[in-house]
Amino acid sequence: MPLPQRRHLAVPVAVLAVAGALGAIPGAGTAAAAPPAEFTPVSAAYGPPKGLTVKGQFLSYNDFHGAIDPPTGSGAVVNASGTSTPAGGVEYLATFLKRLRAEAKAEGRPTITAGAGDLIGATPLVSAAFHDEPTIELMNEVGLQVSSVGNHEFDEGVAELVRIQRGGCHPVDGCQDGDPYRGARFTYLAANTVDRKSGLPILPPIDIRYVDGVPVGFIGMTLEGTPSIVNPAGITGVRFTDEIETANKWSSVLKLFGVKAQVLLLHEGGSQATATPTPGVSDCAGFSGPLAPIVAGLNPEISVVISGHTHRFYSCKLPNSKGADTVVTSAGSNGQLITDIDYTLDRRTGRFTEITAKNVIVENGVPDGKGGWLRDAAGAYLRNPDTVDAAAKKVADKYRAAVAPIANRVVGSISADIVRTAGPAGESPLGDVIADAQLAYTRSAGAQIALMNPGGVRADLDADQSSGGETYGQVTYGEAFTVQPFNNLVVTQTLTGAQLKNVLEQQFPGFGGQTTQRILQVSNGLTYTWSASAAPGSKVSALTLNGTPVDPAANYLVTTNDFLANGGDGFTNLTLGTGRVTAPGFDVDALVAHLATGPIAPGPANRISTAP
């Protein structure tokens, strides 16, 4: 059976011309009835074939986030079906991908390996220190062929994403590892990221692969809401279009070119309902989220949606615009799972006739022979040398060695684990600590208050983590960077008390254009209460600073990162501040300086309270 072969259509000319002529496909964006609350693990059939068949396999993953090293702390395991399995690490991901490909090849199924965005961005120092070139090099090594962009692909702006795809040294830092950066060998797809001047996608919108002569089309895109969750400064020249309209537009283009088996790579998702025990990695229990109504509006030719963004695992079949089954999957995050999708194509019609999907855990531990996993004296899981891929490890080790002197430097200490898990009011112990760090960092500029976006807190601080051989409670620069990996600037500006209250009101949907509830983390001294039942714009009460009610007419110096100050996460009221001053360094430097005064205790998480 020949391997799948890639053919590049002349997208900028032929396909884009057809798409432009089509415009918005009639009926696109009109969702069907909401899907039912429960779905079974996925196995979809589309009737008997009308001719000979071709079998194939898709392997996929999403939200890798540069997780070259195996995750640690609470994220070290995949919790599913009542069990915990240590998983992740690129040398283990490579092994499992090769194993699954070999199994499919033995069954006559050629493999296409695909991603659903956020491969880069919000990455640990081993990748971020080199502008995520290590992750791309490793994605090339593990055999990724096509991926959608995600919101984090835009963390350093559109121009940097284009460089990541095409190659070339970084315009400021050059080729830091001494080797030329040759770009991604896989194809990034960005169907709904449109250049404002040309009106065309900034990267290819679609890709076509051939499976034993039968074409399979891929459409790739990020969520329409990307502008609200990335730094606005990097995306001024582009707009992000509706997921349903865009997917159906390019689906119709593919159909015009005779491609009737279609896969949507979409960086948007959903989640299974909370349950005890935790649902399995291939379950679809009580599925909900933005993905369901999107699928309900899709053309029936799109039979598979490989999704991401929510960092959850699931394997579902959801109804499309015609009420037929669409297979919908997500592989969690950080390379801890791989989705294995087997399918059959009808040679005569070019359509899928059968699809099955399951998630496979990328195990990295050593079994203890009793159904569990061996640990070292400190309680950390032992890594299994027998399942390491040597080629991937060689690439990863090059960058690990290069960054180790910086990453393993001890910068401070903590007295216990400090977690980012939020309580009922939306406040977390680590959020408190980071807000306090930014306030301390800018007190010399007169700062009185600091606010931190919860989505910018990317990992816990684990007291027993020992990535550089440090003792209990010591924190390395690499660990601090993993918590705050965005290199945001720290800015202080003046807001009136009325403006500050409006910023806090904008945490809730329905006020100031906000669409998603996002509770800002607040520094010591600022307290308030919010009520879920109150009307938008009136949810926040009892707002005080150091025990004194905030005066609507008074001025206050407020510190945030520049992502928030520029209106990120929908906080447009923060753009109304005046007299902006930028502190030296980055937000991680504020955290490092604070940790150096330690040991730092977990934040009390009692600054925000709720009322009926």
Side-chain angles (χ1 to χ4, degrees):
M1 181 76 68
L3 292 175
Q5 297 181 8
R6 173 182 178 182
R7 186 182 86 185
H8 286 292
L9 293 179
V11 171
V13 181
V15 178
L16 293 176
V18 171
L22 286 171
I25 304 301
T30 302
E38 293 281 346
F39 300 94
T40 58
V42 68
S43 180
Y46 303 95
K50 300 183 183 300
L52 298 176
T53 60
V54 173
K55 296 182 181 295
Q57 176 193 56
F58 303 130
L59 296 179
S60 64
Y61 51 92
N62 50 275
D63 296 274
F64 183 71
H65 288 295
I68 292 171
D69 296 329
T72 59
S74 60
V77 297
V78 172
N79 294 306
S81 301
T83 62
S84 298
T85 305
V90 72
E91 53 263 70
Y92 300 97
L93 176 66
T95 294
F96 275 77
L97 286 170
K98 289 179 179 180
R99 181 181 299 172
L100 291 168
R101 288 181 191 128
E103 292 172 356
K105 183 177 181 181
E107 298 173 353
R109 294 181 182 271
T111 301
I112 299 171
T113 305
D118 277 10
L119 305 176
I120 59 175
T123 53
L125 190 63
V126 66
S127 183
F130 304 96
H131 297 283
D132 284 329
E133 293 172 14
T135 293
I136 299 300
E137 187 174 342
L138 282 159
M139 295 301 94
N140 293 342
E141 175 62 40
V142 304
L144 186 64
Q145 294 167 277
V146 60
S147 177
S148 71
V149 296
N151 56 285
H152 281 286
E153 264 77 15
F154 295 94
D155 281 352
E156 294 191 43
V158 171
E160 173 64 1
L161 172 58
V162 172
R163 183 190 75 87
I164 285 292
Q165 172 72 85
R166 298 176 181 173
C169 295
H170 189 271
V172 176
D173 294 329
C175 286
Q176 296 165 278
D177 63 351
D179 298 330
Y181 173 63
R182 304 189 186 282
R185 291 203 295 266
F186 61 91
T187 303
Y188 262 129
L189 303 181
N192 70 332
T193 307
V194 177
D195 185 274
R196 291 186 182 275
K197 291 183 179 179
S198 70
L200 300 176
I202 60 166
L203 291 169
I206 58 175
D207 196 14
I208 299 174
R209 307 271 168 161
Y210 282 81
V211 180
D212 198 14
V214 180
V216 176
F218 292 85
I219 306 162
M221 57 188 184
T222 186
L223 69 155
E224 183 184 8
T226 291
S228 70
I229 52 176
V230 301
N231 198 319
I235 56 171
T236 56
V238 297
R239 58 187 176 89
F240 295 84
T241 59
D242 178 82
E243 298 98 337
I244 298 174
E245 290 183 1
T246 304
N248 285 346
K249 175 178 179 176
W250 291 107
S251 169
S252 296
V253 170
L254 287 169
K255 188 176 178 181
L256 284 175
F257 279 87
V259 183
K260 299 176 183 177
Q262 299 175 10
V263 179
L264 176 60
L265 307 175
L266 175 62
H267 192 71
E268 179 61 291
S271 62
Q272 300 187 65
T274 301
T276 302
T278 306
V281 294
S282 297
D283 290 347
C284 191
F287 186 83
S288 63
L291 185 57
I294 291 173
V295 174
L298 295 179
N299 287 352
E301 285 76 19
I302 300 174
S303 298
V304 180
V305 177
I306 295 170
S307 68
H309 188 54
T310 57
H311 292 200
R312 304 299 180 88
F313 47 69
Y314 45 82
S315 177
C316 304
K317 55 182 178 182
L318 310 183
N320 58 32
S321 62
K322 300 298 183 182
D325 290 334
T326 299
V327 173
V328 178
T329 68
S330 176
S333 64
N334 293 330
Q336 293 183 302
L337 295 166
I338 299 168
T339 304
D340 182 354
I341 304 171
D342 288 335
Y343 61 89
T344 303
L345 293 168
D346 187 332
R347 279 191 179 278
R348 182 175 174 184
T349 65
R351 297 179 183 272
F352 291 107
T353 63
E354 185 179 9
I355 304 169
T356 62
K358 63 181 180 181
N359 282 325
V360 178
I361 300 177
V362 179
E363 299 173 359
N364 63 27
V366 180
D368 63 5
K370 303 174 184 178
W373 306 90
L374 295 179
R375 302 178 185 237
D376 63 18
Y381 291 99
L382 297 180
R383 308 298 181 201
N384 192 343
D386 296 333
T387 52
V388 167
D389 179 79
K393 185 176 186 299
K394 180 178 179 180
V395 176
D397 282 350
K398 177 181 75 171
Y399 291 105
R400 288 165 177 155
V403 82
I406 301 171
N408 294 336
R409 177 170 59 90
V410 174
V411 296
S413 61
I414 55 179
S415 62
D417 292 349
I418 308 179
V419 301
R420 57 177 176 153
T421 304
E427 185 181 359
S428 73
L430 186 51
D432 284 358
V433 167
I434 291 173
D436 289 349
Q438 294 188 3
L439 179 60
Y441 197 63
T442 54
R443 281 222 186 261
S444 61
Q448 300 162 278
I449 299 164
L451 306 173
M452 175 64 191
N453 55 306
V457 186
R458 304 301 298 187
D460 299 337
L461 280 174
D462 298 308
D464 61 356
Q465 185 171 342
S466 184
S467 53
E470 68 276 13
T471 61
Y472 180 89
Q474 290 186 320
V475 180
T476 66
Y477 182 81
E479 291 162 8
F481 190 91
T482 299
V483 171
Q484 287 192 275
F486 294 110
N487 276 342
N488 288 318
L489 301 175
V490 180
V491 300
T492 303
Q493 57 184 338
T494 299
L495 296 173
T496 67
Q499 288 173 324
L500 174 62
K501 182 176 184 295
N502 282 341
V503 168
L504 298 176
E505 294 286 1
Q506 208 168 21
Q507 297 175 117
F508 308 100
F511 182 79
Q514 183 62 272
T515 59
T516 303
Q517 180 168 302
R518 297 184 174 95
I519 303 300
L520 297 172
Q521 308 299 287
V522 301
S523 57
N524 186 34
L526 188 71
T527 61
Y528 69 92
T529 299
W530 64 269
S531 170
S533 62
S538 301
K539 292 184 180 292
V540 173
S541 62
L543 177 59
T544 68
L545 179 62
N546 299 321
T548 302
V550 168
D551 182 352
N555 289 332
Y556 297 87
L557 283 169
V558 180
T559 294
T560 68
N561 56 46
D562 65 328
F563 166 76
L564 280 175
N566 292 336
D569 274 352
F571 286 96
T572 54
N573 280 307
L574 279 169
T575 66
L576 303 178
T578 59
R580 183 184 295 194
V581 175
T582 302
F586 300 105
D587 52 358
V588 68
D589 297 318
L591 178 59
V592 164
H594 190 55
L595 291 169
T597 67
I600 300 297
N606 62 359
R607 300 164 185 175
I608 306 172
S609 59
T610 59

